[in-house]
Amino acid sequence: MDIVNVKAIKSPTTGIQEAIDSLNGKGGRVRIPAGRWRLSRSIWVPSGVSLVGDGPSTVLHISPPKVARLAKDIRKGGRVLTLKGKVPFKVGQEIGVSDEKRGGWHGTHGIVEKIEGNRVTVSAKFNRGLSASEDAKAVSLFPAITAEGEADLELADFTIRGPRGYRGKWWDFTYSAVHLVLCRRARITNVTVFEWPSDGIGVQRGSDVQVSQCQAHGCRGHGFHPGTGLARSVWSHNIGKGNGGDGFFFCARVHHSTCSDSVFSENGLAGIGGVARGGDHHNIISDNVCSYNRKWGIEATRGDEQVITGNLILSNSQEKAGAYPGLRLHDMLRNVVTGN
């Protein structure tokens, strides 16, 4: 197996993407030494690559995101933005474009290729039209690490840090610090995310994914976010504390997956939330500690065929005493709930 040590160079990923690309698609191990590594675009991890650090002393970080609003509407398939005021972006950095009407998969991410006055050309075609009247905007935010349709990849032993003290907008899940889409047999181990402007670790679609011994602290969104049909995933021995949303958020159609042996504390919504609501089925939630969250300990709504067992649910409803039950089950059928 090829092993490459990252050497710091002047680039949007401080040399990390260049080290990965040097493997020429053959797979291998890329080591990021201890130190601070500044990102202005996502690191893309292809199949067969292990991206590993030297533990907490390897820190990937970003600058505070800058936002610019659209001065003109854009059409689906276009690549040019006209922005209000001075453009706060630079050629080569990654931005996202969306509006307040529909986010998530409806937004577009791309690299700034050209700036002419207040006109910005990006690398990706807009996947739908956006209206300036609906507060459409561009932001210099992106996943620190991403992959789509890849297999047999590994992320391990490093820290991802957002802007310190970030209290701005909660950007949608496509900006998560780790954002994997349609990946198979991926492993994320011993990765810690601090104060990210979106979710901490998100895995959308795909199958056979393991996320273990990871932590998410003070992220603006959810700490951990499996969703969009993810199958056969294992999330264990994780910690989600002080995030703005749920410590652990089940999104849409997650199935045959487990969330176990973890601690979710002091989060803005639930310790574990969204269970069953979006068509999830055949999942196990067991042996977790959900404590001192602002709303519910565990929140499950409008679904069936979940196993919720052996969880310690303690001193939640911190927002208002007695307003939120420790374990909320609403409109649920054919579930096993025991020993909590």
Side-chain angles (χ1 to χ4, degrees):
M1 179 179 67
D2 290 339
I3 300 176
V4 177
N5 290 318
V6 178
K7 296 181 180 179
I9 62 173
K10 187 176 181 180
S11 83
T13 62
T14 324
I16 298 172
Q17 190 66 60
E18 287 80 1
I20 293 172
D21 294 345
S22 73
L23 296 171
N24 296 318
K26 296 182 295 183
R29 182 181 180 90
V30 175
R31 172 179 166 263
I32 312 172
R36 291 179 62 81
W37 303 80
R38 183 176 177 275
L39 308 178
S40 58
R41 70 166 70 167
S42 299
I43 299 165
W44 182 282
V45 182
S47 296
V49 169
S50 294
L51 183 66
V52 300
D54 284 342
S57 58
T58 296
V59 180
L60 314 180
H61 69 101
I62 61 170
S63 299
K66 296 180 179 180
V67 179
R69 285 170 167 77
L70 266 63
K72 295 181 180 180
D73 296 351
I74 59 175
R75 295 180 178 180
K76 180 178 179 180
R79 294 198 301 124
V80 178
L81 300 166
T82 302
L83 302 176
K84 293 181 179 179
K86 184 179 179 181
V87 174
F89 311 130
K90 296 181 179 179
V91 171
Q93 74 178 131
E94 185 171 350
I95 63 172
V97 187
S98 61
D99 61 24
E100 294 303 311
K101 186 176 181 180
R102 289 185 295 176
W105 302 118
H106 298 287
T108 300
H109 297 256
I111 307 301
V112 175
E113 293 185 334
K114 184 190 300 183
I115 299 174
E116 299 174 304
N118 64 342
R119 289 166 54 86
V120 177
T121 302
V122 297
S123 60
K125 294 182 178 180
F126 306 127
N127 59 20
R128 70 179 184 92
L130 295 172
S131 172
S133 65
E134 293 174 345
D135 198 24
K137 57 179 71 73
V139 59
S140 57
L141 183 63
F142 46 86
I145 298 174
T146 192
E148 182 171 352
E150 307 291 351
D152 302 301
L153 57 94
E154 177 186 20
L155 309 174
D157 302 320
F158 52 80
T159 293
I160 302 173
R161 181 172 283 282
R164 290 183 183 273
Y166 181 80
R167 294 294 182 270
K169 176 181 166 62
W170 173 354
W171 297 91
D172 71 60
F173 66 91
T174 63
Y175 297 92
S176 299
V178 176
H179 179 53
L180 303 186
V181 182
L182 279 171
C183 291
R184 295 170 291 116
R185 299 185 300 278
R187 297 181 299 279
I188 306 173
T189 308
N190 195 28
V191 172
T192 298
V193 182
F194 289 104
E195 297 182 283
W196 198 258
S198 175
D199 301 337
I201 296 176
V203 182
Q204 310 298 318
R205 305 189 182 110
S207 62
D208 307 310
V209 172
Q210 293 175 286
V211 181
S212 63
Q213 301 179 55
C214 293
Q215 301 194 29
H217 293 261
C219 296
R220 188 65 182 85
H222 304 302
F224 299 87
H225 181 162
T228 327
L230 177 65
R232 300 187 305 275
S233 63
V234 175
W235 305 69
S236 67
H237 299 88
N238 299 307
I239 295 174
K241 180 183 177 184
N243 300 289
D246 297 327
F248 188 99
F249 174 63
F250 277 88
C251 193
R253 303 187 307 281
V254 178
H255 60 96
H256 300 92
S257 295
T258 68
C259 172
S260 70
D261 301 284
S262 297
V263 177
F264 304 110
S265 178
E266 301 172 46
N267 297 288
L269 296 176
I272 301 173
V275 181
R277 188 189 311 159
D280 306 325
H281 61 89
H282 296 98
N283 299 305
I284 298 175
I285 300 163
S286 69
D287 302 303
N288 301 288
V289 176
C290 296
S291 62
Y292 301 97
N293 297 288
R294 287 185 60 80
K295 293 191 175 182
W296 311 273
I298 299 176
E299 179 262 336
T301 307
R302 297 192 304 275
D304 52 21
E305 297 171 328
Q306 314 288 321
V307 176
I308 304 173
T309 183
N311 300 284
L312 176 60
I313 304 170
L314 173 69
S315 298
N316 296 285
S317 196
Q318 290 289 308
E319 181 176 294
K320 182 180 179 181
Y324 303 95
L327 174 55
R328 180 177 191 259
L329 302 174
H330 176 71
D331 198 14
M332 300 281 288
L333 297 171
R334 296 185 298 277
N335 298 278
V336 176
V337 182
T338 181
N340 297 291

